Amino acid sequence: DEVLVPKERATVVLAIDTSLSMQATDIAPDRLSAAKEAALSFVEGLPEQINLGLVTFDGVARVRVTPTTDRRPVRSAIESLELGPATAIGEAIFAGLDAIENAPLADADGEPVPATMVVMSDGKTTVGRPDADAAEAAVEAGVPVSTIGFGTDRGTIVIDGEIQPVPVDQEALQAIAEQTNGQSFQAESLGELESIYADIGSSIGFDTEEQEVTDRFVGYAVA
């Protein structure tokens, strides 16, 4: 049988879109509230020895928490997310790569610590360096970028009294994942987003190891 064993060490940077389109209510109660809730459960589900960092991005990408095993600053930053205009997915990836570069890159034995990024966005890049440039930099750094397109084609927000559609550019996000050897997902509800985060958390936080079935039977017999 295969069992999940927590990884000894790894670095993960979570990048969350805080563009104004996150006000859309196509996902109840709204995209931002659902994103916060799902991100917090992702944080709780990661093994404690994983270094976790946080980037937020609208028109500007900010490293809110450099990778650390302390979950408190990450939770606090997620709970206090605020929205801004525009979307810079490329800049978010560059910021995440900078954060990873400044994190511990080797364990006690000098073995390199694997690093990965998870980018959740509900739109498409409108400012900053192109997605393709950022993906190329991630490939050079050996950092896979998994992407989550969050939202539905029905999403709208009101800007200056006018209704604006805010669909997700799923193709662009998929291209980033494919180019960097990451995984691409699409979530149209809080439940789907939480499920995707759980899958990603399992794949980046745990190793799958074979366990002898006989070991378990012996254990039951002893018990």
Side-chain angles (χ1 to χ4, degrees):
D1 273 15
E2 292 186 336
V3 292
L4 289 177
V5 179
K7 280 190 175 154
E8 288 299 310
R9 289 288 298 279
T11 296
V12 180
V13 171
L14 177 59
I16 298 179
D17 189 336
T18 53
S19 56
L20 292 175
S21 50
M22 291 285 280
Q23 296 173 59
T25 55
D26 55 332
I27 293 174
D30 56 72
R31 290 179 180 179
L32 181 65
S33 301
K36 284 183 180 182
E37 190 173 328
L40 287 169
S41 54
F42 173 71
V43 171
E44 294 306 318
L46 281 182
E48 59 187 21
Q49 60 269 42
I50 300 276
N51 292 305
L52 177 63
L54 181 70
V55 169
T56 60
F57 63 99
D58 34 62
V60 178
R62 309 165 189 84
V63 177
R64 296 288 298 272
V65 182
T66 51
T68 171
T69 54
D70 185 355
R71 300 293 183 250
R72 289 170 299 180
V74 181
R75 283 196 293 264
S76 167
I78 289 170
E79 285 162 358
S80 63
L81 292 180
E82 291 182 357
L83 303 182
T87 306
I89 297 171
E91 294 299 336
I93 294 171
F94 278 113
L97 293 174
D98 286 345
I100 287 167
E101 200 175 329
N102 293 320
L105 292 178
D107 61 19
D109 300 326
E111 291 294 313
V113 173
T116 189
M117 272 194 79
V118 180
V119 176
M120 191 223 72
S121 178
D122 76 332
K124 65 177 177 180
T125 294
T126 56
V127 294
R129 285 171 282 183
D131 296 353
D133 291 4
E136 196 176 310
V139 170
E140 283 177 20
V143 176
V145 181
S146 289
T147 60
I148 307 170
F150 184 49
T152 72
D153 292 337
R154 304 181 302 280
T156 59
I157 59 172
V158 177
I159 298 178
D160 297 333
E162 296 204 0
I163 295 175
Q164 304 271 1
V166 283
V168 183
D169 189 349
Q170 189 62 32
E171 283 182 15
L173 291 169
Q174 194 169 343
I176 293 168
E178 285 176 0
Q179 190 177 339
T180 63
N181 207 22
Q183 297 173 281
S184 173
F185 302 93
Q186 187 164 10
E188 295 193 352
S189 69
L190 169 59
E192 282 183 18
L193 185 60
E194 287 186 325
S195 170
I196 288 165
Y197 270 139
D199 287 349
I200 293 173
S202 293
S203 67
I204 60 184
F206 295 83
D207 289 318
T208 306
E209 291 186 3
E210 291 289 334
Q211 184 186 49
E212 290 289 335
V213 177
T214 48
D215 289 353
R216 283 196 309 177
F217 285 127
V218 168
Y220 292 144
V222 170

